[in-house]
Amino acid sequence: MQNRHMSRVLVLQTLFAWDFNKTQGNPEKILNYTKKEFTPSNDEENFASKLLKNIVDKWKELNNIIIKHAPEWPLKQINIIDRNILRIGIYELKYNDTIPPKVAINEAIELAKKYGGDNSSKFINGVLGTIYREITGEELLFESTNVENKK
């Protein structure tokens, strides 16, 4: 696995635990434990730590974006994995200028395929595709055959 992809997996595991515990406790401590247990030498330039901190700092804002772009799904009814994949994807799509939008969306879809349910990748793709259109005014078409195109 690539380092940044693995860092996103660590952040997803951390957000899952923190969200599951109703955002009680210190998410950085959860991340440090997760890193130690699963990938002690992975975190290039503290990518996971920075990503986690930024997502936690924008928690309410990210939740509001999810609510706006998935109106048929109350936030608490969205699967906890999908909810946290969306938080990662939305943060990288809207607030991280160093990650190209297509990479942010593709990474989120790959996380959904691996860790989410049967329809998670389609749901994540739909929500992030809508946000991408809102930001850029363009349809998002992937060249990769791994990602289902939205028309």
Side-chain angles (χ1 to χ4, degrees), residues 110 113 142-149:
E110 291 303 315
K113 285 179 180 177
F142 282 101
E143 296 160 11
S144 169
T145 56
N146 291 340
V147 178
E148 192 168 317
N149 291 332

Side-chain angles (χ1 to χ4, degrees), residues 66-84:
I66 294 169
I67 291 166
K68 177 183 175 186
H69 291 90
E72 302 84 24
W73 291 93
L75 191 62
K76 293 293 181 190
Q77 287 184 3
I78 297 173
N79 176 305
I80 194 169
I81 288 286
D82 294 351
R83 204 167 50 221
N84 286 295

Side-chain angles (χ1 to χ4, degrees), residues 3-11 42-44 47-48:
N3 283 342
R4 286 194 171 193
H5 179 75
M6 190 61 209
S7 292
R8 287 180 184 95
V9 171
L10 292 171
V11 170
N42 172 60
D43 199 9
E44 74 176 45
F47 180 80

